[in-house]
Amino acid sequence: MTFALSRRHLLQGSLITAGSGLLTACGGGTSPQSPNRPNSNRPQTMTPTAQRPQIQVQPARVVSQGNANTMRIFASSGFCEDPSRIQTGLNRLSSAGFVISNHHAAYRRFQRFAGSDAERIADLQEVADGRVPTPKVLMGARGGYGAARLLPHINWGNLGARMREQGTLLFGFSDVTAIQMALLAQSGVPSFAGPMLYSEFAKPVADTYTMDSFIRTTTSSQLTVAVSSFQIQRPRAVEGMLWGGNLSVVASLVGSPYMPRVQGGILFLEDVSEQPYRIERMLQTLHLAGILRQQQAIVLGDFRMGNIRDSYDSSYDLNMVAQTMSRVANIPVFTGFPFGHIANKTSFPLGARAKIQPDNMGGYTVTFSDYPALNAAALNLNALLPPPTYDFGTGFFGSGESSDSEF
């Protein structure tokens, strides 16, 4: 049975502080109404690998109203299997006030891809060429494989310039990392690790944590995520551009013009269903290419390893990999950041400024700044949140969240 419930029951103990901030990428202007998100005394639940982080945000100030609610779908990788589920995602985003274009891209299929190479290139190249208006949001359909085939055929300089002018937010993860890294390498424009049309927005019941994080991050000019009780090798405070994404995809770009050349950065990495030795091998590739020694730190997200173990030595795990790479690269390695191929993921910018501060309890905070934001006043983002349900057996309110994430 479903009951209406005030928003404070949904946040499950997240810490919010109000403030004001000027968004560099979008300029100054009038400040939109910030959603009311008071604290809750309800105990926090657990993500598959980590306790949900505390999140602090500052409201964003956005000038441009012309494209404030426009969204264009791009399908750079695998096809979306279920048309009815695609429609669910489109309906959910439309109910939040987005005016969606190029939605037919989500329905395409050619072999294992979401359309032919030419069709998938056009999703982004039409924006780069100015053949279609530059949207406020470029939303990836899903991951899989195929984005690497598009990289030489997109004018990244033009695309980045148009995105920067409009303060466009591009969302994706998994295979979309190739798009995000090419954009950063070729134009210096940031993007967002966050939910995609089919992977999250199209779920029958959206994940409350993921949707709430999407709302908070995209309507803020500053974001702080606190991660508690995780392994930190060589802990120290660091500050720089945080970049990266899916480890397999990042490693595949080594030696190409689509690998960002970031000096003094913070490299974020996640992956799924890889044995520890394979994770280390890809990290060693980045080290041997000279990339890790140019970074101030590595942040590891969720690797969704489950029962995956090294068949030669089951005790050789991700923590041992982190220890090895911290020693080899002589930089801190922070683990447990709440993002990856998991249901409950934190939206955050890639290619933006970040500061990591270890605490005295084995955890750390990451504060992001200098990234574009949405105009909350032009949207109805609370419509993205699923209605809470009441469990008569336990006497608790829940959100109907699933434990998995498609990509």
Side-chain angles (χ1 to χ4, degrees):
M1 186 172 182
T2 302
F3 288 81
L5 188 63
S6 67
R7 182 161 176 76
R8 70 182 180 86
H9 293 284
L10 295 174
L11 302 187
Q12 302 182 356
S14 294
L15 175 62
I16 306 296
T17 58
S20 62
L22 181 63
L23 181 63
T24 303
C26 294
T30 58
S31 176
Q33 293 293 325
S34 178
N36 182 25
R37 300 188 181 93
N39 290 333
S40 167
N41 294 322
R42 182 183 171 195
Q44 295 181 335
T45 60
M46 301 292 287
T47 67
T49 60
Q51 190 177 33
R52 292 185 177 181
Q54 294 179 319
I55 302 175
Q56 299 174 335
V57 298
Q58 289 187 358
R61 296 179 181 177
V62 183
V63 173
S64 176
Q65 300 279 343
N67 71 336
N69 62 348
T70 57
M71 174 183 288
R72 179 175 172 89
I73 303 299
F74 69 94
S76 58
S77 305
F79 70 90
C80 304
E81 297 93 339
D82 185 353
S84 64
R85 177 167 164 163
I86 296 170
Q87 191 61 52
T88 296
L90 294 172
N91 290 345
R92 184 169 283 136
L93 289 165
S94 295
S95 70
F98 291 106
V99 177
I100 303 171
S101 64
N102 204 44
H103 57 275
H104 67 274
Y107 294 95
R108 297 183 315 226
R109 179 176 180 179
F110 174 75
Q111 297 174 348
R112 62 169 290 125
F113 308 108
S116 66
D117 287 2
E119 289 175 317
R120 293 181 293 125
I121 289 166
D123 289 349
L124 297 171
Q125 187 58 30
E126 286 183 348
V127 179
D129 285 344
R131 283 180 281 170
V132 298
T134 306
K136 185 62 179 178
V137 176
L138 279 165
M139 176 63 67
R142 64 160 297 175
Y145 168 70
R149 297 168 62 153
L150 316 182
L151 302 186
H153 307 289
I154 295 171
N155 189 325
W156 298 104
N158 280 5
L159 179 62
R162 294 181 186 279
M163 289 177 62
R164 184 181 288 108
E165 181 181 5
Q166 296 296 333
T168 299
L169 291 71
L170 184 150
F171 285 90
F173 70 103
S174 191
D175 193 59
V176 178
T177 296
I179 301 296
Q180 296 171 304
M181 293 300 93
L183 180 66
L184 183 62
Q186 296 285 310
S187 70
V189 170
S191 59
F192 287 81
M196 294 186 286
L197 170 65
Y198 195 77
S199 306
E200 282 81 29
F201 291 105
K203 287 183 176 181
V205 178
D207 299 301
T208 302
Y209 177 85
T210 299
M211 294 297 103
D212 191 69
S213 178
F214 174 83
I215 294 169
R216 298 187 194 195
T217 300
T218 59
T219 57
S220 308
S221 62
Q222 182 172 295
L223 167 73
T224 296
V225 181
V227 184
S228 60
S229 301
F230 287 98
Q231 296 291 325
I232 306 174
Q233 308 300 326
R234 302 170 185 256
R236 61 180 175 86
V238 295
E239 185 171 2
M241 177 191 289
L242 189 142
W243 64 288
N246 180 262
L247 173 57
S248 298
V249 176
V250 171
S252 74
L253 297 176
V254 168
S256 79
Y258 311 109
M259 171 65 82
R261 293 167 174 81
V262 180
Q263 297 282 346
I266 300 168
L267 180 58
F268 167 79
L269 298 165
E270 58 82 24
D271 218 312
V272 59
S273 301
E274 296 282 3
Q275 290 191 49
Y277 84 90
R278 293 174 60 88
I279 295 170
E280 182 180 317
R281 182 164 60 192
M282 288 183 280
L283 288 168
Q284 291 283 2
T285 297
L286 297 176
H287 170 65
L288 294 173
I291 294 169
L292 296 189
R293 71 170 63 100
Q294 297 172 354
Q295 310 308 309
Q296 295 193 60
I298 300 170
V299 176
L300 299 181
D302 195 288
F303 279 72
R304 251 311 273 295
M305 298 177 70
N307 294 323
I308 296 174
R309 297 289 184 269
D310 191 316
S311 58
Y312 285 91
D313 182 356
S314 60
S315 67
Y316 193 77
D317 58 13
L318 186 61
N319 285 333
M320 296 189 72
V321 172
Q323 293 173 18
T324 298
M325 297 313 301
S326 179
R327 173 178 53 79
V328 168
N330 194 30
I331 56 177
V333 175
F334 300 83
T335 68
F337 192 85
F339 189 88
H341 292 71
I342 53 177
N344 298 309
K345 52 176 60 69
T346 299
S347 296
F348 65 98
L350 296 168
R353 196 75 182 169
K355 182 176 182 179
I356 301 180
Q357 182 66 55
D359 60 32
N360 296 323
M361 297 176 288
Y364 60 95
T365 60
V366 186
T367 299
F368 300 90
S369 59
D370 192 19
Y371 57 86
L374 296 175
N375 184 348
L379 296 162
N380 179 31
L381 294 175
N382 284 342
L384 296 172
L385 292 163
T389 57
Y390 184 78
D391 188 328
F392 285 96
T394 64
F396 287 105
F397 285 95
S399 61
E401 296 172 354
S402 63
S403 60
D404 202 358
S405 176
E406 298 189 35
F407 54 94

